[in-house]
Amino acid sequence: MARTLNLEIKESSEELKHLLDKQTSVQMKERLQALYLLKTGTLSTLQELSSVLVRDPSTIYRWFQKYKKEGLEGLLKPYKSPGKTTTIPSAAMGKLRQYLEEYEGFTSYGEIQTWLKEECGVEVSYHVVYRAVHQKLNATIKGSKPRKRHKKKSGKGEASHFPEKSAEVGWGSEEKSPLSNL
């Protein structure tokens, strides 16, 4: 038989139920649900919680350890992975932002790439420059303006590439299109 959990939960079951109803994040709901089920006495072992929440017992155990150390606030604090650090340093990004705002700007991302290497000593790929300009600086370059599209005039004397009626193709009302069987 599994050992019952001995966790002192400071919050009342009503408070946990209110927080559970208010929570929008699925991960945080699971954590609150584990505390609520334990507090109300519905479940009392790690194995029972694990089967009901469909989580590994070690995961639930980690949640409870976090709750013991940091309380409810620590348990519900969303985890933000650090991710990869930016390739273009913030000083160089500031210079680039200023240059793009003050002057006409650049005509290509390759030009920005060269400017970063010469002015800031930062050597980055074309893709990194493109993402930095578009996503981080929300800027465009001179050469990136969309071209105007000219609408073609359709003359009545021009032959159409597609027939307008299926009868013209040779499929009468009694014949079926080869595609109708699909």
Side-chain angles (χ1 to χ4, degrees), residues 30-31 55 59-67 75:
E30 286 178 324
R31 295 172 185 200
R55 288 287 184 181
T59 301
I60 298 171
Y61 182 77
R62 252 192 331 269
W63 294 347
F64 290 156
Q65 290 303 314
K66 190 167 192 132
Y67 178 77
L75 181 68

Side-chain angles (χ1 to χ4, degrees), residues 86-100 105-134 136-137 141:
T86 56
T87 314
I88 302 175
S90 58
M93 200 68 120
K95 272 182 150 180
L96 179 60
R97 180 189 311 269
Q98 184 179 6
Y99 191 87
L100 285 169
F106 299 97
T107 56
S108 71
Y109 296 105
E111 194 178 323
I112 296 173
Q113 197 176 8
T114 306
W115 182 85
L116 280 170
K117 186 176 181 181
E118 291 172 357
E119 294 291 320
C120 305
V122 176
E123 198 168 334
V124 290
S125 71
Y126 182 93
H127 180 70
V128 169
V129 170
Y130 176 83
R131 288 188 62 196
V133 170
H134 275 278
K136 294 188 178 153
L137 300 179
I141 59 172

Side-chain angles (χ1 to χ4, degrees), residues 19-173:
L19 287 170
L20 187 60
D21 293 338
K22 198 170 76 171
Q23 196 58 246
T24 57
S25 167
V26 174
Q27 290 84 6
M28 299 311 141
K29 267 189 177 187
E30 286 178 324
R31 295 172 185 200
L32 281 168
Q33 194 172 21
L35 286 176
Y36 178 76
L37 291 170
L38 197 61
K39 181 71 175 188
T40 58
T42 309
L43 303 174
S44 59
T45 67
L46 197 57
Q47 298 302 330
E48 291 172 336
L49 281 168
S50 172
S51 64
V52 168
L53 297 175
V54 192
R55 288 287 184 181
D56 193 77
S58 62
T59 301
I60 298 171
Y61 182 77
R62 252 192 331 269
W63 294 347
F64 290 156
Q65 290 303 314
K66 190 167 192 132
Y67 178 77
K68 280 182 184 177
K69 285 182 187 175
E70 302 173 30
L72 190 62
E73 187 177 311
L75 181 68
L76 299 180
K77 185 171 67 175
Y79 175 75
K80 173 113 172 62
S81 61
K84 187 178 179 183
T85 56
T86 56
T87 314
I88 302 175
S90 58
M93 200 68 120
K95 272 182 150 180
L96 179 60
R97 180 189 311 269
Q98 184 179 6
Y99 191 87
L100 285 169
E101 288 173 357
E102 289 179 7
Y103 302 103
E104 277 293 313
F106 299 97
T107 56
S108 71
Y109 296 105
E111 194 178 323
I112 296 173
Q113 197 176 8
T114 306
W115 182 85
L116 280 170
K117 186 176 181 181
E118 291 172 357
E119 294 291 320
C120 305
V122 176
E123 198 168 334
V124 290
S125 71
Y126 182 93
H127 180 70
V128 169
V129 170
Y130 176 83
R131 288 188 62 196
V133 170
H134 275 278
Q135 292 177 355
K136 294 188 178 153
L137 300 179
N138 294 326
T140 56
I141 59 172
K142 260 195 317 190
S144 68
K145 292 179 183 172
R147 295 180 182 173
K148 287 185 178 179
R149 292 186 160 204
H150 298 286
K151 291 184 179 178
K152 291 184 180 178
K153 294 179 182 177
S154 61
K156 294 191 178 198
E158 294 179 24
S160 176
H161 293 289
F162 302 104
E164 290 189 23
K165 297 179 185 173
S166 63
E168 292 175 10
V169 179
W171 299 315
S173 59

Side-chain angles (χ1 to χ4, degrees), residues 6-23:
N6 192 13
L7 179 67
E8 184 184 331
I9 301 172
K10 299 171 188 107
E11 293 78 21
S12 68
S13 59
E14 291 82 27
E15 187 179 350
L16 289 172
K17 179 71 173 158
H18 175 72
L19 287 170
L20 187 60
D21 293 338
K22 198 170 76 171
Q23 196 58 246

